[in-house]
Amino acid sequence: MNIRDLELFKHLAATLHFGKTALECNITPSGLTRTIQRLENEIGETLFFRTNRSVNLTPAGLLFREYCEETLTRFYLFKSGLKSDTALHGELSVYCSVTAILSILPQIFKQFRSTYPKVNVRLQTGDAAKALVKLQNREVDIAIAALPDQRPKAIEFIKLIETPLLFIAPKFFPDTVVWREQQIDWEKSPLILPLTGLSRTRVEDWFGKNNIRPFIYSQVAGNEAIIAMVSMGSGIGIVPQLVLEKSSLRNKVDVLDTGPRLKPFVVGACTLAANLNNRVVQSFWDVTGEAVSTSNNSV
């Protein structure tokens, strides 16, 4: 086996999806299958349970994942230590939403790239609700995420920004919101919620505490999708203010001042504590901390 084989196995062990790993690792599905079969032949054990609908790690696969992660970490550290110059080399993987790229990360990335030009930054974008899952599955080194009320163990966090959660309604379809005694009738007003994530948890907690059974019209992935559906008159939505401010549809929705006051999001950089043993990750962490300190001092 070689390092490339181990990297492919590690990625597949996180995604449990041959097609997704093949696409993101720039290899054909058949090539990925052959790599896994070669590893299984060398080890003498089946690493994945495979059916037409699912892929899961076998007991041997779980053990090999630990070996693989440790081996790759040691290899990257060893390779970095062999460089004849003092410049930091390596690769850093970061997961964040498009909003984070537009509003939070530009200055941090600028500083990091200018300080460590030989580090390759691999950026993944997607639904912010998936950020911590990506990190905990070891698919990425750094994730930009909203911090849960109880921070998961072994996760380090640097606060970057705080943003309120807003209830929004369509500007041009006022009849979408049903009112009763100058209050929103949540049992009749259609509500658009995120499939998962912290905003979903907080709004469900609020409804539960107030004994309200809301009319959930739709559940979608991503805050931009919620804003789009609200702008078309589909219902009331809930999104972070930071996302709404960067949305091209912000002028087609209204913020509901009568909506519940939910606890705001605290958004920051997250990594596993063990990742800070990696010089590349630690360097990004240091740059992020310095950027936050500089920003706070300038206020």
Side-chain angles (χ1 to χ4, degrees):
M1 63 187 71
N2 55 47
I3 293 299
R4 172 63 169 167
D5 291 349
L6 297 182
E7 290 174 334
L8 290 172
F9 170 84
K10 178 184 175 182
H11 195 284
L12 181 58
T15 65
L16 297 177
H17 194 289
F18 275 79
K20 185 176 182 180
T21 290
L23 179 63
E24 294 184 0
C25 294
N26 195 29
I27 187 174
T28 64
S30 59
L32 176 60
T33 298
R34 288 194 298 270
T35 297
I36 299 303
Q37 289 174 341
R38 182 167 61 249
L39 285 173
E40 290 176 330
N41 289 335
E42 291 186 40
I43 296 169
E45 295 283 348
T46 300
L47 298 176
F48 293 94
F49 292 122
R50 283 163 273 189
T51 68
N52 291 333
R53 294 187 177 182
S54 65
V55 176
N56 291 289
L57 286 164
T58 65
L62 292 169
L63 289 173
F64 188 66
R65 182 178 64 181
E66 295 179 9
Y67 163 81
C68 181
E69 290 172 352
E70 181 179 349
T71 300
L72 287 174
T73 298
R74 293 176 62 124
F75 173 76
Y76 296 144
L77 291 173
F78 168 73
K79 187 176 179 181
S80 178
L82 285 180
K83 299 296 181 181
S84 57
D85 56 31
T86 59
L88 186 66
H89 297 70
E91 181 176 277
L92 180 77
S93 56
V94 180
Y95 181 90
C96 63
S97 66
V98 173
T99 300
I101 297 175
L102 296 175
S103 58
I104 298 176
L105 293 177
Q107 188 59 40
I108 294 173
F109 274 16
K110 179 181 179 182
Q111 180 62 38
F112 184 76
R113 295 304 298 270
S114 62
T115 306
Y116 304 105
K118 295 187 178 182
V119 173
N120 178 35
V121 178
R122 182 164 56 86
L123 190 62
Q124 297 182 37
T125 61
D127 185 0
K130 298 179 180 179
L132 286 181
V133 175
K134 290 272 188 180
L135 179 64
Q136 290 171 314
N137 287 344
R138 299 180 182 273
E139 294 181 53
V140 294
D141 301 314
I142 301 284
I144 306 302
L147 185 65
D149 293 328
Q150 292 186 339
R151 185 169 70 191
K153 292 182 179 180
I155 286 185
E156 298 295 321
F157 182 85
I158 296 177
K159 178 180 175 180
L160 299 176
I161 195 171
E162 186 170 302
T163 182
L165 282 172
L166 305 177
F167 282 84
I168 57 174
K171 180 184 289 290
F172 303 111
F173 303 92
D175 292 340
T176 300
V177 183
V178 179
W179 299 89
R180 182 175 61 187
E181 299 178 356
Q182 298 183 328
Q183 296 294 322
I184 299 171
D185 188 338
W186 293 104
E187 296 183 1
K188 295 182 179 179
S189 299
L191 184 63
I192 303 167
L193 293 180
L195 280 170
T196 59
L198 190 55
S199 59
R200 173 71 182 250
T201 300
R202 288 188 175 164
V203 73
E204 285 183 339
D205 287 345
W206 185 86
F207 283 129
K209 290 177 181 177
N210 289 275
N211 296 315
I212 297 173
R213 298 183 64 183
F215 168 29
I216 300 178
Y217 173 77
S218 182
Q219 304 175 68
V220 298
N223 291 308
E224 276 295 342
I226 292 176
I227 298 173
M229 291 190 67
V230 171
S231 71
M232 294 186 291
S234 298
I236 299 171
I238 177 172
V239 294
Q241 179 177 305
L242 180 67
V243 177
L244 182 62
E245 290 174 346
K246 297 297 180 180
S247 173
S248 60
L249 299 172
R250 62 186 178 278
N251 294 324
K252 295 185 178 182
V253 301
D254 287 325
V255 176
L256 292 171
D257 294 332
T258 56
R261 295 293 185 265
L262 302 180
K263 187 177 180 179
F265 274 4
V266 176
V267 181
C270 304
T271 192
L272 299 177
N275 287 346
L276 295 177
N277 293 322
N278 184 318
R279 287 179 58 206
V280 173
V281 177
Q282 181 64 62
S283 297
F284 184 86
W285 204 249
D286 292 342
V287 168
T288 302
E290 291 171 5
V292 170
S293 178
T294 300
S295 176
N296 291 338
N297 290 336
S298 65
V299 175

